[in-house]
Amino acid sequence: MKKDRKIVVVLKGYPRLSETFIAQELLGLEKAGFELELVSLRRPTDLKRHPVHDEIRAPVRYLPEYLHEEPIRVIRALWACRNKPGFKKAFSAFVADFRRDFTRNRIRRLGQAAVLAAEWPKDGSWLHAHFIHTPASVAYYASLITGNPWTCSAHAKDIWISPDWELSGKLASTRWVVTCTHVGYSHLQRLSGANRNVHLSYHGLDFSRFHQFEGQRALRDGSRPDDPVVILSVGRAVKKKGFDILLRSLALIPRDLNWRFEHVGGGDQLDGLKALAQKLGIADRITWKGALDQQDVLTHYRTADIFALACRIASDGDRDGLPNVLVEASSQRLVCVSTTVSGVPELLSDRENGFLVPPENPQALAAALEAAIRNPALRHELGEAAERRVRTEFDYNTSIRQLENLFETEWKAA
């Protein structure tokens, strides 16, 4: 390894099918010469895994997901940490946080941090959390206990469901934070005050996995019942993805147009979405594919005609940042229809390289889908424009170089 320090990466769950951007980053850091150790707060629940997960060499270790499941381990960790110079400071920080967030989850974070501090980070290790909510809390407390510095990658939900007081405290403690959309960057920059330790870094794609699509896109226009336009969406069936809005918009498409909808992904709301499709009378036009690995998803991008994602802001503030599936689909010249939520307009511009409509508006989404269905030449033109933008502005090697420079700058200063 060309780097002289180990990075202990704190993750909420690993591996996860829905977080290929994290796996891609981990592999990129390893290729750049960093030694990683992965520490996950949860064990995997997905039945499949992406090929990129098998390429990552770093060992994976798991903290107690619930403290009562491994009480002896937690007690031993707390006992081992009690005399560490930073334990009193960490406990004081926990007490201050607990007064504002009086939950079991807050207690769990301290227990997990104690296990992390007792078992893995050694002198010279660096703590890096993916997501600025729960994983960052664990990294923050562990950093105080051990004295090891910590940094963070913030993404989407973790930014928008965290209270400002908690974000401000973490931004004051961490060496730096990177985030993947300008809207998230602006929010965190405001909360960082004079620290100015927030950096914008789009995830990008590994183009060695997403080669240019050399095939010809079909000229389907919805006029043939035996050759319907294929509308694809990829994502977990959760509120912020807006799949209920998408289904309602599909039901509004004029009856003279022939289309088929394919959904890739798992999620707790799948059964409810299937019931809604039945109620709307469109169930016979929909195929629910379930969770697929990256290679299978790539095949679907190349055989579909339109990609649709009805991003929304959920009632608890949860939202996407810039969904990687939009970047992936665009890399394959597949025209995207989406909404103006969060970082989506940082990739797509309406009628320039895709279709954008307001969120929570099935009528507007249906009109955009109809326009894309009826005009294959337009969707091909917009898909080509989207691909050009992705391949010039969303190369993941750029984000890896940014992270490499941030880590090396801090280590040289240490």
Side-chain angles (χ1 to χ4, degrees):
M1 294 292 173
K2 69 179 183 180
K3 314 299 176 186
D4 59 355
R5 298 195 186 190
K6 177 182 290 186
I7 304 174
V8 178
V9 184
V10 183
L11 304 152
K12 189 170 183 180
Y14 183 87
R16 282 183 166 180
L17 281 174
S18 61
E19 295 175 358
T20 52
F21 59 94
I22 292 178
Q24 179 177 276
E25 180 180 296
L26 297 175
L27 182 60
L29 288 172
E30 283 193 335
K31 288 181 177 179
F34 291 94
E35 182 182 359
L36 307 181
E37 188 158 351
L38 311 184
V39 176
S40 176
L41 312 188
R42 294 179 179 175
R43 294 186 177 274
T45 57
D46 294 322
L47 299 178
K48 296 186 178 184
R49 56 193 282 140
H50 294 302
V52 64
H53 291 127
D54 296 323
E55 298 175 37
I56 296 169
R57 301 186 304 274
V60 186
R61 308 180 190 277
Y62 294 93
L63 296 173
E65 183 170 348
Y66 297 100
L67 303 186
H68 68 268
E69 293 177 345
E70 299 183 70
I72 302 302
R73 186 181 179 196
V74 175
I75 291 169
R76 284 176 177 169
L78 288 167
W79 184 257
C81 290
R82 76 192 190 287
N83 291 326
K84 289 182 181 290
F87 183 74
K88 289 184 179 179
K89 188 175 181 180
F91 190 76
S92 295
F94 158 74
V95 170
D97 292 342
F98 189 56
R99 286 172 178 163
R100 303 175 92 166
D101 177 30
F102 194 69
T103 63
R104 291 182 180 179
N105 187 43
R106 181 64 59 177
I107 298 172
R108 184 162 70 246
R109 295 176 194 179
L110 178 65
Q112 289 173 323
V115 174
L116 174 59
E119 295 185 5
W120 295 304
K122 308 300 181 185
D123 291 341
S125 294
W126 191 284
L127 290 162
H128 184 77
H130 261 287
F131 296 108
I132 201 168
H133 56 347
T134 306
S137 293
V138 174
Y140 169 42
Y141 296 146
S143 172
L144 291 175
I145 294 169
T146 63
N148 290 344
W150 77 286
T151 50
C152 182
S153 292
H155 301 291
K157 174 181 181 178
D158 51 320
I159 298 173
W160 301 109
I161 67 169
S162 297
D164 286 356
W165 65 263
E166 186 168 10
L167 291 175
S168 296
K170 289 172 179 174
L171 289 166
S173 168
T174 186
R175 293 294 183 90
W176 47 258
V177 170
V178 294
T179 191
C180 53
T181 66
H182 194 275
V183 65
Y185 165 80
S186 297
H187 182 64
L188 294 176
Q189 187 79 311
R190 177 180 61 82
L191 294 173
S192 71
N195 292 318
R196 296 295 173 185
N197 58 348
V198 182
H199 304 270
L200 173 62
S201 179
Y202 291 109
H203 292 139
L205 286 185
D206 179 353
F207 294 131
S208 68
R209 299 179 192 278
F210 287 86
H211 296 289
Q212 286 184 300
F213 176 45
E214 302 296 345
Q216 295 295 316
R217 288 255 167 230
L219 294 174
R220 302 183 183 101
D221 61 4
S223 61
R224 293 178 53 183
D226 62 335
D227 192 21
V229 168
V230 179
I231 303 168
L232 172 69
S233 196
V234 179
R236 290 175 299 124
V238 293
K239 192 73 172 177
K240 67 180 176 182
K241 300 293 183 181
F243 287 118
D244 57 323
I245 298 293
L246 180 53
L247 292 180
R248 295 182 190 282
S249 72
L250 291 172
L252 294 174
I253 293 174
R255 294 294 179 182
D256 67 311
L257 291 177
N258 298 282
W259 54 268
R260 188 174 82 249
F261 176 59
E262 297 180 345
H263 173 265
V264 174
D268 296 338
Q269 296 185 353
L270 269 180
D271 288 343
L273 292 174
K274 292 176 182 178
L276 177 60
Q278 288 283 357
K279 181 179 178 181
L280 294 171
I282 57 173
D284 60 338
R285 297 189 178 202
I286 298 176
T287 304
W288 305 94
K289 297 282 186 175
L292 299 176
D293 67 26
Q294 194 174 65
Q295 193 58 46
D296 286 337
V297 174
L298 178 59
T299 299
H300 280 75
Y301 289 141
R302 292 178 169 179
T303 55
D305 300 299
I306 299 166
F307 187 88
L309 195 66
C311 303
R312 58 138 65 101
I313 299 175
S315 57
D316 63 354
D318 186 14
R319 70 200 74 177
D320 275 312
L322 173 52
N324 266 40
V325 290
L326 292 174
V327 183
E328 293 172 358
S330 295
S331 78
Q332 302 304 301
R333 289 189 281 117
L334 180 60
V335 68
C336 294
V337 180
S338 191
T339 69
T340 54
V341 163
S342 199
V344 176
E346 296 173 41
L347 169 67
L348 301 176
S349 298
D350 188 40
R351 302 285 177 145
E352 293 182 16
N353 64 351
F355 294 89
L356 282 187
V357 301
E360 308 286 354
N361 193 327
Q363 293 78 14
L365 189 60
L369 289 170
E370 180 184 354
I373 292 170
R374 292 190 186 277
N375 196 335
L378 176 61
R379 65 176 185 255
H380 295 172
E381 176 186 337
L382 298 181
E384 289 171 359
E387 184 198 28
R388 286 195 296 271
R389 183 164 190 187
V390 164
R391 294 194 179 274
T392 55
E393 299 180 30
F394 289 86
D395 184 339
Y396 100 113
N397 289 296
T398 301
S399 64
I400 295 299
R401 285 193 295 270
Q402 286 177 297
L403 287 172
E404 184 176 4
N405 290 336
L406 285 168
F407 281 121
E408 290 186 338
T409 297
E410 289 288 353
W411 287 349
K412 287 176 182 176

